Amino acid sequence: MSLGQELAPHLPFLRRYARALTGSQQHGDAFVRAALETIVAKPDEFPRDVDPRLGLYRTFHAIWSTANVEEGEEPSFELGGAEGIAQARLSRITPLSRQALLLTSLEGFSREDAGYLIDASSNDVDSLVAEAMAEIERQTHADVLIIEDEPIIAMDIESIVRDLGHNVTGVAVTRDEAIVQARKAPPGLVLADIQLADDSSGIDAVKDILSEFSVPVIFITAFPERLLTGTRPEPTFLITKPFQRSTVKAAISQALFFDAATVPAA
């Protein structure tokens, strides 16, 4: 099997991670492309002593580090938009702690593998994740609209959202319901399933909401690969079903991290 064939199944999930880390599909996918270009240019330097997925993420992190994102500096290719908002938070939560949290909670890496990816010990990873979780506790609370047609899943998401201190403005099960509830109580965050009860689309519901409100969105789907192709406009924040509570918490905190309305006061 060629290196390209080994890496192909992992690319959608690297895009998910990169988008969550940068707060943007455009910027996240750009980092992924840069990592792939590096692998193509220097295949002999690709880490062959570890699992291909680890090697892929390791190469990505080398690109991320080179771009000086850790220090909040301008990278070698333009990163704007949400990254500017993130600078307001850098004194409260470092990019390295965000990486540790996302690698373990969103991507499911062990503390040892996460440490390998960010050049840290397992104990350091634990400390970084604790730092990130402490920042979540201090994060400005938001009004959250949940768009989910499966009652048990909706209840679980609502419980997680409330545990984080956020307010749930409503739970919608169809596209029309979602729009009505958003107009009634404009949300500060939307969590949306893709396929809804009446065969309407959560994506279409979100498009309608975004035409009237500027709000961060997290999509929830059992088929993430379909929305992580990098070939068209796609979600920035994506949770895979079935999900862990820690995954939802990490995604919510990261989506709000890049939202101007939730930058905490100094």
Side-chain angles (χ1 to χ4, degrees):
M1 184 182 296
S2 69
L3 179 57
Q5 291 173 317
E6 290 183 70
L7 298 181
H10 307 299
L11 287 177
F13 302 101
L14 181 61
R15 291 191 187 99
R16 175 181 63 186
Y17 172 65
R19 293 175 190 179
L21 191 62
T22 62
S24 161
Q25 179 194 351
Q26 177 186 357
H27 300 148
D29 288 359
F31 274 110
V32 173
R33 284 194 301 272
L36 292 177
E37 289 168 359
T38 297
I39 294 171
V40 170
K42 301 178 180 179
D44 293 340
E45 296 183 9
F46 184 82
R48 280 298 195 174
D49 56 339
V50 296
D51 179 85
R53 185 184 183 220
L54 269 178
L56 177 62
Y57 278 67
R58 176 79 174 191
T59 303
F60 169 87
H61 272 274
I63 299 299
W64 177 261
S65 177
T66 301
N68 292 318
V69 174
E70 289 88 342
E71 290 80 20
E73 299 175 7
E74 282 298 310
S76 55
F77 52 95
E78 183 180 359
L79 283 180
E83 283 297 319
I85 295 171
Q87 303 311 311
R89 304 180 186 269
L90 290 182
S91 63
R92 301 174 179 84
I93 179 170
T94 67
L96 193 60
S97 60
R98 289 196 285 123
Q99 291 173 48
L101 177 64
L102 292 172
L103 286 170
T104 54
S105 296
L106 186 67
E107 297 304 309
F109 283 108
S110 68
R111 56 203 286 266
E112 292 78 14
D113 286 346
Y116 167 77
L117 294 174
I118 61 175
D119 290 319
S121 69
S122 297
N123 288 337
D124 287 340
V125 170
D126 289 340
S127 297
L128 288 166
V129 171
E131 178 185 338
M133 295 304 293
E135 167 59 19
I136 290 175
E137 295 298 323
R138 296 191 296 271
Q139 196 167 43
T140 302
H141 296 161
D143 292 326
V144 181
L145 171 62
I146 298 170
I147 308 174
E148 170 61 66
D149 65 326
E150 297 184 42
I152 298 300
I153 295 177
M155 290 173 61
D156 195 19
I157 295 172
E158 183 173 3
S159 173
I160 296 170
V161 169
R162 293 192 187 279
D163 284 349
L164 286 172
H166 302 298
N167 176 49
V168 176
T169 60
V171 178
V173 300
T174 67
R175 175 183 180 179
D176 290 341
E177 275 188 29
I179 297 166
V180 169
Q181 292 198 30
R183 287 172 177 165
K184 181 179 179 181
L189 174 69
V190 175
L191 283 88
D193 191 7
I194 301 297
Q195 189 65 43
L196 301 178
D198 60 349
D199 289 329
S200 61
S201 167
I203 294 177
D204 290 337
V206 166
K207 286 180 180 178
D208 292 338
I209 292 171
L210 291 179
S211 70
E212 299 185 33
F213 308 99
S214 177
V215 56
V217 177
I218 300 171
F219 281 102
I220 305 170
T221 176
F223 306 101
E225 297 92 337
R226 299 178 184 177
L227 296 172
L228 293 166
T229 66
T231 61
R232 60 183 183 272
E234 295 173 329
T236 298
F237 300 100
L238 199 67
I239 296 172
T240 303
K241 288 182 177 180
F243 52 77
Q244 300 291 327
R245 292 176 69 88
S246 60
T247 304
V248 180
K249 288 183 178 181
I252 290 174
S253 68
Q254 195 68 5
L256 294 177
F257 181 92
F258 286 107
D259 182 48
T262 58
V263 175

